[in-house]
């Protein structure tokens, strides 16, 4: 079959690669001049199945009020007259219950664990490299309350069979020796030894090269203007350079997915949640991070990527904008400088922002729609890199009419009711 994939971020490229491996004739369409130039460009670098958790959780509404008052807030809300934003916020609040949190986290961990296994097989099969490291993730707690509150996460990890370690201060320093000088600032951590790190941009471009070598056609520098519908099916993709047709279509446009399908009657609850990162040159490798840390107080990820430190995080709800306020850079610089002073040249860091496609329940939307030849692979939020290979493999199986290796029935848009 001819399959058109809309979007060449990490989700679109992994979808295209596994569709190609399944024997399809694949075309990828994107407005950018190359792969991974938007949300996949400079993310935090984590491949963290064990840290796959929905933002919607018990206590989040109360925490959000506190976060908004912080000097370095992990959450920034810029209210506006925006029905799309308000609908998404109310839907997220409805998911802030214990029962929904457990359900959503279970879905996310299932997909993320599978994705880690698919990525591992891909490395073995292709030898792909991307500044990868397999040395785990450390969720770092600065207060005893944060450490005491991990019980619900530990319960889900146990249920899913995900290895973990609860560490005291000495254990944290043993895992990340660069913390030795700042050990007095932490009380403990939760370590996930099977998590990985890597440069998502390098990976996506390397995989795109493999896909192109296998016959995938990349149509970059083409703005997608809309989807044509005829006889209850998608009849083609309108671009600024003409119409492209296929037998089946996979939508992987991240935060822009919802606006693409709204004119054809699909209400997709995906909204952009803006994140920021800085990339810091390492000047002292001996005291730089070994792998990835999550600074729980500020919701900041600090990741070693070769000779660089990637520092990423925050959630800004402000619609579709890509501005770079200096205050956000200061928050990222504070977190890494406070925990790893002297490890990197912070003034020389590059600064970036991206729009994460977030669903109100945290789980991506993967699967069929009401149109029998249109499929969705979007809404991965902060976990697109973590879930990319598994999501690409799942959607390739669904498009091909095969049962995926994992249960994907609760990942489709059908979980939101009739739309």
């Amino acid at each position: 079959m001819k399959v058109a994939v809309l979007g060449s971020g990490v989700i679109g490229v992994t979808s295209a690669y596994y569709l190609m491996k399944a024997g399809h004739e694949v075309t990828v369409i994107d407005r950018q001049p190359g792969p991974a130039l938007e949300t996949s460009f400079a993310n935090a670098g984590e491949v963290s199945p064990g840290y796959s958790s929905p933002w919607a959780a018990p206590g989040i509404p109360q925490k959000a009020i506190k976060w908004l008052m912080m000097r370095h807030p992990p959450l920034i809300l810029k209210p506006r007259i925006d029905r799309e934003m308000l609908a998404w916020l109310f839907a997220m609040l409805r998911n802030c219950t214990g029962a929904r949190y457990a359900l959503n986290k279970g879905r996310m961990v299932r997909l993320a664990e599978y994705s880690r296994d698919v990525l591992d097989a891909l490395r073995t099969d292709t030898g792909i490299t991307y500044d990868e490291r397999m040395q785990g993730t450390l969720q770092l707690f600065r207060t005893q309350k944060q450490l005491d509150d991990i019980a619900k996460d530990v319960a889900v990890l146990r249920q899913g069979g995900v290895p973990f370690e609860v560490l005291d201060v000495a254990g944290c320093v043993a895992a990340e020796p660069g913390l030795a000088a700042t050990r007095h600032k932490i009380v403990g951590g939760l370590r996930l030894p099977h998590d990985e790190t890597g440069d998502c941009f390098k990976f996506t471009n390397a995989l795109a090269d493999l896909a192109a070598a296998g016959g995938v056609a990349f149509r970059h520098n083409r703005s997608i203007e809309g989807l044509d519908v005829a006889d209850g099916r998608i009849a083609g993709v309108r671009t600024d350079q003409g119409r492209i047709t296929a037998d089946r279509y996979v939508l992987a446009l991240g935060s822009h997915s919802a606006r693409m399908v709204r004119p054809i009657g699909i209400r997709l609850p995906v909204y952009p949640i803006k994140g920021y990162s800085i990339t810091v040159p390492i000047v002292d490798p001996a005291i730089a991070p070994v792998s990835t840390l999550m600074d729980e107080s500020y919701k900041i990820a600090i990741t070693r990527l070769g000779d660089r430190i990637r520092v990423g995080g925050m959630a800004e709800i402000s619609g579709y904008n890509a501005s770079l306020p200096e205050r956000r850079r200061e928050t990222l610089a504070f977190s890494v400088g406070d925990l790893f002073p002297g490890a990197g040249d912070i003034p020389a860091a590059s600064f970036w922002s991206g729009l994460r496609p977030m669903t109100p329940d945290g789980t991506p939307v993967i699967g069929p729609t009401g149109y029998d030849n249109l499929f969705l692979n979007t809404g991965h939020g902060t976990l697109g890199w973590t879930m990319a290979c598994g999501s690409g493999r799942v959607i390739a199986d669904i498009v091909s009419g095969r049962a995926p290796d994992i249960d994907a029935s609760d990942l489709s848009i059908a979980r939101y009711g009739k739309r």
Side-chain angles (χ1 to χ4, degrees), residues 133-156:
R133 286 178 174 239
M134 291 73 180
Q135 293 171 265
T137 295
L138 177 62
Q139 187 178 3
L140 203 64
F141 306 117
R142 293 175 182 257
T143 70
Q144 188 63 41
K145 185 177 186 311
Q146 290 172 346
L147 183 59
D148 293 341
D149 284 347
I150 66 173
K152 61 182 182 297
D153 290 325
V154 165
V156 174

PDB file of all heavy atoms in Angstrom, residues 133-156:
ATOM      1  N   ARG A 133      23.397   6.440  25.943  1.00  0.00           N
ATOM      2  CA  ARG A 133      23.951   5.911  27.190  1.00  0.00           C
ATOM      3  C   ARG A 133      22.869   5.063  27.859  1.00  0.00           C
ATOM      4  O   ARG A 133      21.700   5.419  27.829  1.00  0.00           O
ATOM      5  CB  ARG A 133      24.354   7.035  28.149  1.00  0.00           C
ATOM      6  CG  ARG A 133      25.634   7.758  27.731  1.00  0.00           C
ATOM      7  CD  ARG A 133      25.964   8.903  28.678  1.00  0.00           C
ATOM      8  NE  ARG A 133      27.254   9.478  28.327  1.00  0.00           N
ATOM      9  CZ  ARG A 133      28.297   9.536  29.153  1.00  0.00           C
ATOM     10  NH1 ARG A 133      28.207   9.089  30.386  1.00  0.00           N
ATOM     11  NH2 ARG A 133      29.436  10.070  28.760  1.00  0.00           N
ATOM     12  N   MET A 134      23.272   3.963  28.489  1.00  0.00           N
ATOM     13  CA  MET A 134      22.335   3.053  29.137  1.00  0.00           C
ATOM     14  C   MET A 134      22.669   2.961  30.627  1.00  0.00           C
ATOM     15  O   MET A 134      23.004   1.903  31.146  1.00  0.00           O
ATOM     16  CB  MET A 134      22.378   1.660  28.493  1.00  0.00           C
ATOM     17  CG  MET A 134      21.815   1.606  27.093  1.00  0.00           C
ATOM     18  SD  MET A 134      22.931   2.372  25.904  1.00  0.00           S
ATOM     19  CE  MET A 134      21.985   2.123  24.401  1.00  0.00           C
ATOM     20  N   GLN A 135      22.581   4.100  31.318  1.00  0.00           N
ATOM     21  CA  GLN A 135      23.010   4.153  32.709  1.00  0.00           C
ATOM     22  C   GLN A 135      21.901   4.641  33.658  1.00  0.00           C
ATOM     23  O   GLN A 135      22.194   5.067  34.773  1.00  0.00           O
ATOM     24  CB  GLN A 135      24.260   5.040  32.823  1.00  0.00           C
ATOM     25  CG  GLN A 135      25.467   4.422  32.118  1.00  0.00           C
ATOM     26  CD  GLN A 135      26.646   5.359  32.025  1.00  0.00           C
ATOM     27  OE1 GLN A 135      26.838   6.053  31.027  1.00  0.00           O
ATOM     28  NE2 GLN A 135      27.449   5.387  33.070  1.00  0.00           N
ATOM     29  N   GLY A 136      20.663   4.562  33.209  1.00  0.00           N
ATOM     30  CA  GLY A 136      19.548   4.812  34.115  1.00  0.00           C
ATOM     31  C   GLY A 136      19.177   6.269  34.297  1.00  0.00           C
ATOM     32  O   GLY A 136      19.857   7.185  33.823  1.00  0.00           O
ATOM     33  N   THR A 137      18.062   6.457  35.002  1.00  0.00           N
ATOM     34  CA  THR A 137      17.557   7.786  35.341  1.00  0.00           C
ATOM     35  C   THR A 137      17.425   7.886  36.857  1.00  0.00           C
ATOM     36  O   THR A 137      16.963   6.947  37.512  1.00  0.00           O
ATOM     37  CB  THR A 137      16.178   8.041  34.707  1.00  0.00           C
ATOM     38  OG1 THR A 137      16.303   8.061  33.292  1.00  0.00           O
ATOM     39  CG2 THR A 137      15.591   9.369  35.168  1.00  0.00           C
ATOM     40  N   LEU A 138      17.815   9.019  37.404  1.00  0.00           N
ATOM     41  CA  LEU A 138      17.709   9.259  38.844  1.00  0.00           C
ATOM     42  C   LEU A 138      16.754  10.411  39.092  1.00  0.00           C
ATOM     43  O   LEU A 138      17.024  11.548  38.699  1.00  0.00           O
ATOM     44  CB  LEU A 138      19.089   9.588  39.432  1.00  0.00           C
ATOM     45  CG  LEU A 138      19.130   9.943  40.917  1.00  0.00           C
ATOM     46  CD1 LEU A 138      18.642   8.774  41.768  1.00  0.00           C
ATOM     47  CD2 LEU A 138      20.548  10.353  41.325  1.00  0.00           C
ATOM     48  N   GLN A 139      15.621  10.116  39.727  1.00  0.00           N
ATOM     49  CA  GLN A 139      14.689  11.162  40.140  1.00  0.00           C
ATOM     50  C   GLN A 139      15.163  11.668  41.495  1.00  0.00           C
ATOM     51  O   GLN A 139      15.208  10.925  42.477  1.00  0.00           O
ATOM     52  CB  GLN A 139      13.269  10.599  40.236  1.00  0.00           C
ATOM     53  CG  GLN A 139      12.202  11.650  40.503  1.00  0.00           C
ATOM     54  CD  GLN A 139      10.816  11.039  40.528  1.00  0.00           C
ATOM     55  OE1 GLN A 139      10.645   9.827  40.396  1.00  0.00           O
ATOM     56  NE2 GLN A 139       9.807  11.867  40.701  1.00  0.00           N
ATOM     57  N   LEU A 140      15.534  12.932  41.542  1.00  0.00           N
ATOM     58  CA  LEU A 140      16.236  13.487  42.699  1.00  0.00           C
ATOM     59  C   LEU A 140      15.284  14.322  43.564  1.00  0.00           C
ATOM     60  O   LEU A 140      14.589  15.205  43.061  1.00  0.00           O
ATOM     61  CB  LEU A 140      17.387  14.361  42.214  1.00  0.00           C
ATOM     62  CG  LEU A 140      18.551  14.594  43.167  1.00  0.00           C
ATOM     63  CD1 LEU A 140      19.253  13.285  43.466  1.00  0.00           C
ATOM     64  CD2 LEU A 140      19.536  15.581  42.546  1.00  0.00           C
ATOM     65  N   PHE A 141      15.269  14.045  44.858  1.00  0.00           N
ATOM     66  CA  PHE A 141      14.363  14.731  45.786  1.00  0.00           C
ATOM     67  C   PHE A 141      15.147  15.652  46.707  1.00  0.00           C
ATOM     68  O   PHE A 141      16.123  15.237  47.344  1.00  0.00           O
ATOM     69  CB  PHE A 141      13.573  13.712  46.606  1.00  0.00           C
ATOM     70  CG  PHE A 141      12.836  12.708  45.764  1.00  0.00           C
ATOM     71  CD1 PHE A 141      13.140  11.357  45.841  1.00  0.00           C
ATOM     72  CD2 PHE A 141      11.859  13.119  44.869  1.00  0.00           C
ATOM     73  CE1 PHE A 141      12.472  10.432  45.061  1.00  0.00           C
ATOM     74  CE2 PHE A 141      11.187  12.206  44.077  1.00  0.00           C
ATOM     75  CZ  PHE A 141      11.498  10.859  44.176  1.00  0.00           C
ATOM     76  N   ARG A 142      14.689  16.886  46.776  1.00  0.00           N
ATOM     77  CA  ARG A 142      15.324  17.867  47.652  1.00  0.00           C
ATOM     78  C   ARG A 142      14.658  17.935  49.019  1.00  0.00           C
ATOM     79  O   ARG A 142      15.224  18.523  49.948  1.00  0.00           O
ATOM     80  CB  ARG A 142      15.282  19.253  47.001  1.00  0.00           C
ATOM     81  CG  ARG A 142      16.134  19.391  45.731  1.00  0.00           C
ATOM     82  CD  ARG A 142      15.928  20.768  45.108  1.00  0.00           C
ATOM     83  NE  ARG A 142      16.658  20.979  43.869  1.00  0.00           N
ATOM     84  CZ  ARG A 142      17.781  21.689  43.757  1.00  0.00           C
ATOM     85  NH1 ARG A 142      18.316  22.232  44.842  1.00  0.00           N
ATOM     86  NH2 ARG A 142      18.356  21.851  42.591  1.00  0.00           N
ATOM     87  N   THR A 143      13.432  17.389  49.169  1.00  0.00           N
ATOM     88  CA  THR A 143      12.711  17.433  50.441  1.00  0.00           C
ATOM     89  C   THR A 143      12.248  16.033  50.836  1.00  0.00           C
ATOM     90  O   THR A 143      12.026  15.170  49.978  1.00  0.00           O
ATOM     91  CB  THR A 143      11.476  18.343  50.359  1.00  0.00           C
ATOM     92  OG1 THR A 143      10.482  17.728  49.526  1.00  0.00           O
ATOM     93  CG2 THR A 143      11.832  19.718  49.802  1.00  0.00           C
ATOM     94  N   GLN A 144      12.078  15.825  52.138  1.00  0.00           N
ATOM     95  CA  GLN A 144      11.613  14.532  52.628  1.00  0.00           C
ATOM     96  C   GLN A 144      10.201  14.241  52.159  1.00  0.00           C
ATOM     97  O   GLN A 144       9.861  13.090  51.879  1.00  0.00           O
ATOM     98  CB  GLN A 144      11.668  14.510  54.163  1.00  0.00           C
ATOM     99  CG  GLN A 144      11.380  13.146  54.767  1.00  0.00           C
ATOM    100  CD  GLN A 144      12.399  12.092  54.361  1.00  0.00           C
ATOM    101  OE1 GLN A 144      13.607  12.369  54.320  1.00  0.00           O
ATOM    102  NE2 GLN A 144      11.924  10.892  54.032  1.00  0.00           N
ATOM    103  N   LYS A 145       9.367  15.265  52.026  1.00  0.00           N
ATOM    104  CA  LYS A 145       7.994  15.053  51.565  1.00  0.00           C
ATOM    105  C   LYS A 145       7.979  14.482  50.142  1.00  0.00           C
ATOM    106  O   LYS A 145       7.170  13.597  49.837  1.00  0.00           O
ATOM    107  CB  LYS A 145       7.197  16.350  51.618  1.00  0.00           C
ATOM    108  CG  LYS A 145       5.716  16.155  51.272  1.00  0.00           C
ATOM    109  CD  LYS A 145       4.929  17.433  51.403  1.00  0.00           C
ATOM    110  CE  LYS A 145       3.431  17.173  51.208  1.00  0.00           C
ATOM    111  NZ  LYS A 145       3.107  16.387  50.009  1.00  0.00           N
ATOM    112  N   GLN A 146       8.848  14.990  49.286  1.00  0.00           N
ATOM    113  CA  GLN A 146       8.916  14.450  47.929  1.00  0.00           C
ATOM    114  C   GLN A 146       9.265  12.967  47.960  1.00  0.00           C
ATOM    115  O   GLN A 146       8.662  12.162  47.235  1.00  0.00           O
ATOM    116  CB  GLN A 146       9.961  15.211  47.117  1.00  0.00           C
ATOM    117  CG  GLN A 146       9.575  16.648  46.785  1.00  0.00           C
ATOM    118  CD  GLN A 146      10.723  17.415  46.144  1.00  0.00           C
ATOM    119  OE1 GLN A 146      11.880  16.977  46.177  1.00  0.00           O
ATOM    120  NE2 GLN A 146      10.423  18.570  45.568  1.00  0.00           N
ATOM    121  N   LEU A 147      10.211  12.599  48.806  1.00  0.00           N
ATOM    122  CA  LEU A 147      10.613  11.200  48.918  1.00  0.00           C
ATOM    123  C   LEU A 147       9.485  10.350  49.481  1.00  0.00           C
ATOM    124  O   LEU A 147       9.228   9.237  49.007  1.00  0.00           O
ATOM    125  CB  LEU A 147      11.864  11.094  49.793  1.00  0.00           C
ATOM    126  CG  LEU A 147      12.481   9.703  49.964  1.00  0.00           C
ATOM    127  CD1 LEU A 147      12.872   9.119  48.623  1.00  0.00           C
ATOM    128  CD2 LEU A 147      13.695   9.770  50.891  1.00  0.00           C
ATOM    129  N   ASP A 148       8.770  10.881  50.449  1.00  0.00           N
ATOM    130  CA  ASP A 148       7.665  10.130  51.068  1.00  0.00           C
ATOM    131  C   ASP A 148       6.499   9.934  50.105  1.00  0.00           C
ATOM    132  O   ASP A 148       5.718   8.989  50.262  1.00  0.00           O
ATOM    133  CB  ASP A 148       7.173  10.855  52.320  1.00  0.00           C
ATOM    134  CG  ASP A 148       8.202  10.880  53.442  1.00  0.00           C
ATOM    135  OD1 ASP A 148       9.136  10.047  53.395  1.00  0.00           O
ATOM    136  OD2 ASP A 148       8.091  11.731  54.337  1.00  0.00           O
ATOM    137  N   ASP A 149       6.372  10.805  49.119  1.00  0.00           N
ATOM    138  CA  ASP A 149       5.213  10.774  48.221  1.00  0.00           C
ATOM    139  C   ASP A 149       5.371   9.827  47.032  1.00  0.00           C
ATOM    140  O   ASP A 149       4.513   9.798  46.151  1.00  0.00           O
ATOM    141  CB  ASP A 149       4.925  12.191  47.679  1.00  0.00           C
ATOM    142  CG  ASP A 149       4.258  13.081  48.729  1.00  0.00           C
ATOM    143  OD1 ASP A 149       3.807  12.544  49.754  1.00  0.00           O
ATOM    144  OD2 ASP A 149       4.202  14.308  48.502  1.00  0.00           O
ATOM    145  N   ILE A 150       6.438   9.037  46.986  1.00  0.00           N
ATOM    146  CA  ILE A 150       6.660   8.187  45.813  1.00  0.00           C
ATOM    147  C   ILE A 150       5.919   6.856  45.892  1.00  0.00           C
ATOM    148  O   ILE A 150       6.002   6.048  44.959  1.00  0.00           O
ATOM    149  CB  ILE A 150       8.161   7.915  45.575  1.00  0.00           C
ATOM    150  CG1 ILE A 150       8.744   7.067  46.726  1.00  0.00           C
ATOM    151  CG2 ILE A 150       8.914   9.212  45.390  1.00  0.00           C
ATOM    152  CD1 ILE A 150      10.175   6.621  46.464  1.00  0.00           C
ATOM    153  N   ALA A 151       5.155   6.635  46.953  1.00  0.00           N
ATOM    154  CA  ALA A 151       4.533   5.321  47.156  1.00  0.00           C
ATOM    155  C   ALA A 151       3.659   4.904  45.976  1.00  0.00           C
ATOM    156  O   ALA A 151       3.707   3.749  45.525  1.00  0.00           O
ATOM    157  CB  ALA A 151       3.719   5.320  48.443  1.00  0.00           C
ATOM    158  N   LYS A 152       2.843   5.841  45.459  1.00  0.00           N
ATOM    159  CA  LYS A 152       1.932   5.473  44.365  1.00  0.00           C
ATOM    160  C   LYS A 152       2.697   5.135  43.089  1.00  0.00           C
ATOM    161  O   LYS A 152       2.313   4.237  42.335  1.00  0.00           O
ATOM    162  CB  LYS A 152       0.920   6.587  44.102  1.00  0.00           C
ATOM    163  CG  LYS A 152       1.488   7.933  43.683  1.00  0.00           C
ATOM    164  CD  LYS A 152       0.393   8.961  43.502  1.00  0.00           C
ATOM    165  CE  LYS A 152       0.953  10.311  43.032  1.00  0.00           C
ATOM    166  NZ  LYS A 152       1.859  10.915  44.016  1.00  0.00           N
ATOM    167  N   ASP A 153       3.806   5.835  42.844  1.00  0.00           N
ATOM    168  CA  ASP A 153       4.617   5.530  41.668  1.00  0.00           C
ATOM    169  C   ASP A 153       5.317   4.180  41.820  1.00  0.00           C
ATOM    170  O   ASP A 153       5.391   3.396  40.873  1.00  0.00           O
ATOM    171  CB  ASP A 153       5.655   6.626  41.441  1.00  0.00           C
ATOM    172  CG  ASP A 153       5.037   7.924  40.972  1.00  0.00           C
ATOM    173  OD1 ASP A 153       4.040   7.860  40.225  1.00  0.00           O
ATOM    174  OD2 ASP A 153       5.531   8.993  41.338  1.00  0.00           O
ATOM    175  N   VAL A 154       5.825   3.906  43.014  1.00  0.00           N
ATOM    176  CA  VAL A 154       6.492   2.634  43.266  1.00  0.00           C
ATOM    177  C   VAL A 154       5.516   1.472  43.082  1.00  0.00           C
ATOM    178  O   VAL A 154       5.867   0.425  42.526  1.00  0.00           O
ATOM    179  CB  VAL A 154       7.106   2.629  44.679  1.00  0.00           C
ATOM    180  CG1 VAL A 154       7.481   1.217  45.110  1.00  0.00           C
ATOM    181  CG2 VAL A 154       8.324   3.546  44.725  1.00  0.00           C
ATOM    182  N   ALA A 155       4.254   1.680  43.511  1.00  0.00           N
ATOM    183  CA  ALA A 155       3.247   0.628  43.364  1.00  0.00           C
ATOM    184  C   ALA A 155       3.013   0.292  41.889  1.00  0.00           C
ATOM    185  O   ALA A 155       2.908  -0.889  41.513  1.00  0.00           O
ATOM    186  CB  ALA A 155       1.938   1.060  44.020  1.00  0.00           C
ATOM    187  N   VAL A 156       2.933   1.312  41.046  1.00  0.00           N
ATOM    188  CA  VAL A 156       2.728   1.076  39.615  1.00  0.00           C
ATOM    189  C   VAL A 156       3.959   0.411  38.996  1.00  0.00           C
ATOM    190  O   VAL A 156       3.839  -0.496  38.159  1.00  0.00           O
ATOM    191  CB  VAL A 156       2.396   2.394  38.888  1.00  0.00           C
ATOM    192  CG1 VAL A 156       2.316   2.185  37.388  1.00  0.00           C
ATOM    193  CG2 VAL A 156       1.079   2.960  39.398  1.00  0.00           C
TER     194      VAL A 156
END
